[in-house]
Amino acid sequence: MSTFGTPTACTKGTTVSQAPRALRVAVIGAGPAGIYAADILTKSEEVKNGDVPVAIDIFDRYPAPFGLIRYGVAPDHPRIKGIVNALHKVLDRGDIRFFGNVEYGTDITLAELKEHYDAIIFATGAIKDASLDIPGVELDGSYGASDFVSWYDGHPDYPREWPLNAKEIAVLGNGNVALDVARVLSKHADDMLVTEIPANVYEGLKKSPVTDVHVFGRRGPAQIKFTPLELRELAHSRDVDIVLYDEDFQFDEASEEAMTTNSQVKVMMKTLNKWREEQKETEQTASRRLHLHFLQSPAEIMGEDGKVTGIKMERTALNGNGGVEGTGEFIDYPVQAVYRAIGYFGTELPEVGFDIERGVVTNVEGRVIDDSSVPVPGLYATGWIKRGPVGLIGSTKSDALETITHLLEDRLDLYTAAQPEVDSINAHMDAKGIEYTTWEGWQRLDEHEKALGAQSQDAAGEPRARVKVVDREEMIKVSRG
């Protein structure tokens, strides 16, 4: 333990208290979870009143910050800007440092971090697709939604091309990611030019021959996991008809209760019923259709010569308590591509305990634990890698608060870094030849992307707000000046 707050000798007959050194904290992951955790720590009473001075560094494997907001949310969501602006303000204050293009476990190890930091918070999120164990899932044309999201969001570690050659497509899942994927697949490429999508994504979407996108959910309309905003956005797509099926609108006692007591369900049912009425009264003539199916569960992805040719769905029935059970009735749909949007799953981190069933770092309320369920001193987790890929921004904030509360409770046992000087980590990374990026580098990249937008045009001939840089080397070059 350090000499935190202990007195030191001065001149004869007097002593003065040694100024407490800052608690050094490393956050692994510069998405919302990591940034919120850092922000909450700086705003805690212990830090604000001077009892616990802190120095926080956030590391990310990507050259740019913001994690899932930059690489995991559809670019045509207007609310993204609000979230990015909030995260930007936190890092722009100057009291939290950002180091990008630094991968934990490869560029820098746990032992190296412990040399420079008293506490380490893992906020790496969940980026892999949850598995789906049905026949045919390995066929060409069967894709994980997260891979497609990474492609259209210009992720630097994914191929520039995507095989958009299917006319009929199935999207499995009834959450917001499923709607994002379905909306992007069905939307006309020219209408995406008002977003920051890079040129390769626009060109890929432009060549797509898609006519029908089918979204399948295994439960009923009253159990969907969309948010009202996500659902309503479907109606904003030009030349895309929304198709609903009356036989899917079946309700049990749990459904009736949800429609009566849950305000979100009320709003979404009102939207769906409005679309059903419009569908009956107005001829649908759009060149593309987005079908919303309920009470259907995937049984098999069918194929020929190794390629997807269809999907077999089993009708399900509500069981009275909000769940469903299979009916033994099957329906085949001709599709040439299937996108699995049934959830995300966390990735194991080197030298940190991992729950392979849940896809999370082993922890109790954010304190990382070992194989004997004993807390590991100085190690913490927050966000999806702590609790699993559930919940929105509000959950992420409360999650971070719980973790930071425990970190501060443990603080007297955390002053363990052998090299706590703030710039010692810079020297260490320089010595290893790590081409890390900084917040100042992000500001350069930010201006560069805005300049690319000004040089480009949307479908109406207006300058675009920005164009995202895809190539990692270019990102590093611009960021490092």
Side-chain angles (χ1 to χ4, degrees):
M1 190 181 300
S2 78
T3 55
F4 179 74
T6 57
T8 183
C10 186
T11 57
K12 185 176 180 180
T14 64
T15 62
V16 296
S17 291
Q18 178 180 330
R21 75 163 174 85
L23 180 68
R24 296 283 284 130
V25 179
V27 180
I28 312 302
I35 295 176
Y36 287 142
D39 186 42
I40 288 170
L41 179 55
T42 63
K43 292 177 178 176
S44 65
E45 286 300 319
E46 294 88 339
V47 173
K48 285 197 301 182
N49 65 24
D51 287 347
V52 184
V54 296
I56 306 170
D57 293 337
I58 299 182
F59 294 85
D60 202 280
R61 64 190 297 248
Y62 308 127
F66 310 135
L68 190 68
I69 300 300
R70 182 173 169 93
Y71 292 123
V73 181
D76 57 345
H77 275 326
R79 76 169 187 272
I80 299 175
K81 294 179 181 178
I83 298 173
V84 167
N85 289 342
L87 300 179
H88 189 284
K89 288 179 181 177
V90 173
L91 293 183
D92 203 40
R93 293 194 314 243
D95 56 342
I96 300 168
R97 296 195 301 178
F98 167 72
F99 293 111
N101 200 42
V102 183
E103 184 167 8
Y104 168 77
T106 302
D107 295 314
I108 194 162
T109 66
L110 182 60
E112 289 172 318
L113 286 170
K114 285 183 173 180
E115 280 288 303
H116 301 275
Y117 298 95
D118 306 301
I120 302 161
I121 303 173
F122 294 99
T124 50
I127 58 174
K128 294 194 304 183
D129 284 289
S131 61
L132 178 64
D133 187 17
I134 61 172
V137 74
E138 77 291 341
L139 288 168
D140 182 12
S142 171
Y143 308 110
S146 71
D147 291 337
F148 181 58
V149 171
S150 293
W151 174 75
Y152 68 58
D153 271 333
H155 194 296
D157 298 336
Y158 280 74
R160 301 293 180 264
E161 305 298 322
W162 189 270
L164 289 166
N165 45 29
K167 287 187 175 181
E168 300 155 304
I169 299 170
V171 179
L172 307 179
N174 252 185
N176 286 340
V177 174
L179 283 196
D180 281 352
V181 168
R183 192 180 63 257
V184 171
L185 285 168
S186 60
K187 210 166 188 175
H188 290 275
D190 283 353
D191 296 335
M192 293 292 285
L193 281 176
V194 295
T195 75
E196 60 187 22
I197 60 168
N200 66 294
V201 175
Y202 170 73
E203 294 298 333
L205 293 173
K206 186 76 172 175
K207 297 174 184 175
S208 172
V210 66
T211 59
D212 293 84
V213 177
H214 299 265
V215 182
F216 293 98
R218 44 188 306 275
R219 297 199 290 174
Q223 288 82 38
I224 54 180
K225 298 298 183 182
F226 315 140
T227 58
L229 175 62
E230 296 272 356
L231 186 62
R232 287 195 297 265
E233 282 182 0
L234 295 183
H236 299 159
S237 295
R238 177 183 61 85
D239 192 34
V240 179
D241 281 333
I242 300 171
V243 184
L244 297 166
Y245 299 85
D246 287 340
E247 63 268 25
D248 292 343
F249 284 78
Q250 302 176 19
F251 307 102
D252 59 3
E253 292 181 6
S255 300
E256 296 289 352
E257 182 181 359
M259 290 188 290
T260 303
T261 60
N262 188 304
S263 58
Q264 284 210 151
V265 174
K266 285 182 187 178
V267 170
M268 288 189 286
M269 287 306 305
K270 183 178 180 180
T271 298
L272 290 172
N273 286 325
K274 175 175 175 285
W275 291 346
R276 290 171 69 194
E277 290 303 315
E278 291 174 349
Q279 182 177 314
K280 294 173 184 177
E281 296 171 359
T282 307
E283 183 181 2
Q284 295 186 313
T285 59
S287 66
R288 296 180 177 182
R289 290 160 293 280
L290 200 163
H291 307 254
L292 298 181
H293 302 272
F294 304 102
L295 297 171
Q296 298 194 49
S297 180
E300 179 186 356
I301 300 173
M302 301 178 292
E304 293 180 7
D305 301 323
K307 297 181 181 296
V308 171
T309 58
I311 188 163
K312 183 183 292 294
M313 305 295 296
E314 181 181 11
R315 290 292 303 188
T316 60
L318 297 165
N319 61 13
N321 58 16
V324 294
E325 52 192 27
T327 65
E329 176 189 349
F330 295 91
I331 307 171
D332 293 347
Y333 293 88
V335 297
Q336 301 81 51
V338 176
Y339 289 79
R340 308 180 305 275
I342 58 173
Y344 287 105
F345 199 78
T347 303
E348 187 170 359
L349 299 170
E351 301 183 80
V352 183
F354 191 73
D355 184 334
I356 59 173
E357 297 295 325
R358 297 178 56 219
V360 299
V361 166
T362 52
N363 74 95
V364 175
E365 295 183 348
R367 288 185 174 108
V368 174
I369 58 175
D370 61 19
D371 293 339
S372 302
S373 298
V374 176
V376 180
L379 298 190
Y380 301 87
T382 191
W384 281 3
I385 200 64
K386 167 190 173 183
R387 71 178 188 274
V390 293
L392 302 174
I393 292 299
S395 300
T396 302
K397 288 182 177 179
S398 59
D399 201 44
L401 177 61
E402 179 181 66
T403 295
I404 295 303
T405 298
H406 288 317
L407 186 155
L408 288 169
E409 290 171 351
D410 302 339
R411 66 184 181 274
L412 293 180
D413 296 318
L414 293 180
Y415 291 85
T416 56
Q419 300 181 56
E421 299 79 15
V422 170
D423 291 333
S424 65
I425 189 65
N426 303 63
H428 179 78
M429 291 191 293
D430 287 338
K432 293 188 70 174
I434 299 172
E435 290 187 300
Y436 61 87
T437 60
T438 63
W439 180 246
E440 292 74 19
W442 158 250
Q443 292 174 318
R444 284 192 287 271
L445 180 60
D446 186 32
E447 291 302 317
H448 179 69
E449 291 186 341
K450 290 176 181 176
L452 292 177
Q455 297 164 17
S456 180
Q457 292 181 336
D458 63 20
E462 297 295 324
R464 298 170 64 190
R466 73 186 305 129
V467 174
K468 188 180 290 183
V469 173
V470 181
D471 184 73
R472 179 182 283 265
E473 294 306 314
E474 183 181 355
M475 293 172 69
I476 296 170
K477 180 179 179 181
V478 172
S479 298
R480 289 175 65 89

